[in-house]
């Protein structure tokens, strides 16, 4: 069994997109069928790759399902396919975040982080602060720094940037080194992308991590952030 | 009682401990409280000398036994002492290498590898006696006669170059994880990249558990040329991140320069694994 974590009944729970399950283009349907029929991990990776490469919205539900197949190669191919599709993939990604499979959830958050649409802000904040899986938190934290703020009106933009900053400052104090490491990466890109909010708190946090963190890798990453920002 | 060497996780509803109560519990008549307290002291890095003394004493515990004759409390005490970094534990842990419970021997070997005191090297080497012919599975058990993986890794970590000829044959052991432990150890003892490359090759193996195991080994030895192969291996990001962190820690330990090209390269790879 290569799809132990595949949770087929979740698909049926997304009524707005039920009709998209049957692709209208026969080529795409055959690529979807190939994903369904793959009977080895290697074939599955190849089939997901092929489906991701057609850049079709009809592939979205199957690509999202592939995040939960417990096959890192297939999941990475699916993430890059979803990211290439961009905004159109967001509603389904948000609707189908798998609450029971943290592996799949981490890949969903990576896709949302890379698409970087402000629509995902609340989901990223919640995952960054409170998900029990460190891999999910790291993906969300990194994503908070790179949202495309310019898609928002100035007032909404200021509020969104400030919320993202508060979360980044909070997770920068986590007990887990990797969460703090992710927070530095998030703060660095936040400082590069945010334009409307006071930057001094973000810089002060980087300085604190650089000077006092107990972990050498975390201090090193803070040093790199400072150097690349200057 | 547990017959495997898995770590005891905190039980839901277990009494929250304090340093004082954990130390007190180590001499409780209730062996389950002693067992839990020894795990807790290691987990939370309580280096209080009373805790160390009590844990060293627990290495000789005879009250807590499994149906198969194992010593759960001794196993946990050994693991905790490995994490607490106090070399006073070395003589007691060295004696544990002769305990008739496999998992006590395994935990003691792991702990001794962490403590960095090479006085135990002869006793560790004794467990490899008979070479790969002797290192076979115990019938009906999930482990070999001796904890050779832990012993090989400890010898490597302790820089026991006198053990090189004893370690080398284990590169051809029938169990892949033992081969990796030998490669890891040989790399640490010789710094010959041929052994690091064996672990890099293992990243392309068919079994994801073995790929994870190779990632951990590469992280532990800080084998810098593996960085790109680690980042590209088909394994969950968490394992790759930890492996790269091992490389970075090792590199920073050698150079103390977070802005060296190698350090920046490793951090760039790590950023992409978040």
């Amino acid at each position: 069994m290569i799809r132990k974590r595949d949770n087929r009944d979740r698909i049926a729970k997304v009524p707005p997109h039920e009709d998209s399950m049957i692709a209208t283009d026969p080529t795409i349907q055959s690529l979807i069928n190939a994903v369904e029929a793959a009977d080895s991990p290697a074939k599955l990776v190849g089939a997901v790759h092929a489906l991701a490469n057609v850049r079709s919205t009809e592939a979205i539900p199957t690509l999202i399902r592939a995040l939960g197949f417990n096959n890192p190669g297939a999941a990475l191919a699916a993430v890059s396919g979803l990211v290439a599709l961009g905004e159109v993939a967001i509603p389904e990604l948000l609707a189908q975040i798998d609450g029971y499979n943290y592996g799949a959830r981490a890949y969903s958050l990576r896709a949302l982080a890379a698409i970087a649409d402000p629509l995902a802000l609340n989901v990223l904040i919640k995952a960054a602060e409170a998900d029990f899986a460190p891999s999910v938190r790291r993906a969300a934290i990194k994503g908070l720094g790179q949202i495309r703020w310019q898609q928002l009106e100035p007032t909404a933009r200021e509020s969104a940037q400030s919320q993202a900053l508060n979360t980044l400052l909070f997770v920068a104090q986590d007990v887990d080194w990797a969460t703090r490491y992710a927070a530095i990466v998030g703060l660095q890109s936040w400082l590069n992308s945010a334009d409307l909010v006071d930057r001094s708190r973000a810089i002060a946090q980087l300085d604190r991590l650089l000077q006092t963190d107990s972990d050498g890798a975390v201090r090193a990453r803070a040093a790199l952030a400072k150097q690349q920002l200057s | 009682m547990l017959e495997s060497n898995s770590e005891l996780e905190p039980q839901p509803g277990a009494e929250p401990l304090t340093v004082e109560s954990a130390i007190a519990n180590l001499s409780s008549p209730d062996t389950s409280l002693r067992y839990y307290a020894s795990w807790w002291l290691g987990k939370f890095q309580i280096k209080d000398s009373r805790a160390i003394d009590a844990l060293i004493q627990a290495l000789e515990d005879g009250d807590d036994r499994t149906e198969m004759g194992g010593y759960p409390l001794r196993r946990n005490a050994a693991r905790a002492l490995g994490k607490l970094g106090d070399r006073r534990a070395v003589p007691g842990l060295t004696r544990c290498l002769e305990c008739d419970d496999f998992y006590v021997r395994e935990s003691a070997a792991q702990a001794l590898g962490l403590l960095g005191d090479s006085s135990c090297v002869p006793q560790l080497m004794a467990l490899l006696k008979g070479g790969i012919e002797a290192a076979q599975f115990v019938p009906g058990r999930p482990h070999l006669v001796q904890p050779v993986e832990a012993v090989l890794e400890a010898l490597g970590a302790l820089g026991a170059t006198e053990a090189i000829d004893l370690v080398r044959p284990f590169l051809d052991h029938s169990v892949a994880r033992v081969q990796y432990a030998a490669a890891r150890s040989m790399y640490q003892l010789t710094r010959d990249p041929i052994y690091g490359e064996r672990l890099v090759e293992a990243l392309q193996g068919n079994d994801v558990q073995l790929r994870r195991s190779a990632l951990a080994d590469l992280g532990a030895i800080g084998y810098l040329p593996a960085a790109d192969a680690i980042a590209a291996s088909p394994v969950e990001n968490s394992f790759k991140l930890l492996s790269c962190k091992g490389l970075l820690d090792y590199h920073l330990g050698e150079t103390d320069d977070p802005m060296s090209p190698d350090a920046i390269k490793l951090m760039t790879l790590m950023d992409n694994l978040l």
Side-chain angles (χ1 to χ4, degrees), chain B residues 218-256:
Chain B
L218 286 163
I221 63 174
Y223 185 61
L224 197 57
D228 291 310
I230 290 169
S233 70
V235 184
E236 298 83 345
N237 281 10
S238 313
F239 293 90
K240 299 198 275 190
L241 183 65
L242 264 183
S243 184
C244 286
K245 162 84 153 55
L247 264 51
L248 180 59
D249 284 341
Y250 187 87
H251 180 71
L252 293 171
E254 298 238 297
T255 63
D256 200 26

Side-chain angles (χ1 to χ4, degrees), chain B residues 33-45:
Chain B
L33 290 183
R34 277 192 254 166
Y35 182 77
Y36 184 71
S38 55
W39 171 82
W40 191 91
L41 289 163
K43 165 82 181 168
F44 294 103
Q45 299 275 305

Side-chain angles (χ1 to χ4, degrees), chain B residues 59-168:
Chain B
L59 293 176
E60 293 173 23
D61 172 78
D63 298 337
D64 188 17
R65 305 294 301 271
T66 67
E67 281 142 30
M68 301 190 65
Y71 295 91
L73 178 57
R74 292 190 193 183
R75 300 172 191 169
N76 258 11
R79 286 194 281 265
L81 286 164
K83 292 176 186 163
L84 295 179
D86 191 322
R87 292 189 180 191
R88 282 187 298 151
V90 170
L93 287 168
T94 305
R95 279 194 295 278
C96 283
L97 294 176
E98 291 171 10
C99 180
D100 54 23
D101 177 359
F102 171 90
Y103 295 111
V104 172
R105 299 198 298 281
E106 183 181 58
S107 302
Q110 287 164 345
L112 287 164
L114 292 170
L115 291 181
D117 180 330
S118 48
S119 64
C120 59
V121 164
Q123 288 84 349
L124 285 168
M125 287 171 68
L127 294 184
L128 299 184
K129 215 178 113 199
I132 55 173
E133 290 76 21
Q136 301 301 321
F137 279 96
V138 178
R141 307 286 295 138
H143 58 71
L144 306 178
V145 176
Q146 295 296 353
V148 291
E149 256 182 84
V151 170
L152 293 166
E153 291 178 9
L155 288 168
L158 295 173
T161 47
E162 64 268 48
I164 286 176
D165 289 338
L166 208 51
V167 169
R168 190 184 294 108

Side-chain angles (χ1 to χ4, degrees), chain A residues 8 135 140 157 176:
Chain A
R8 278 158 204 272
S135 56
R157 196 188 308 172
D176 172 27

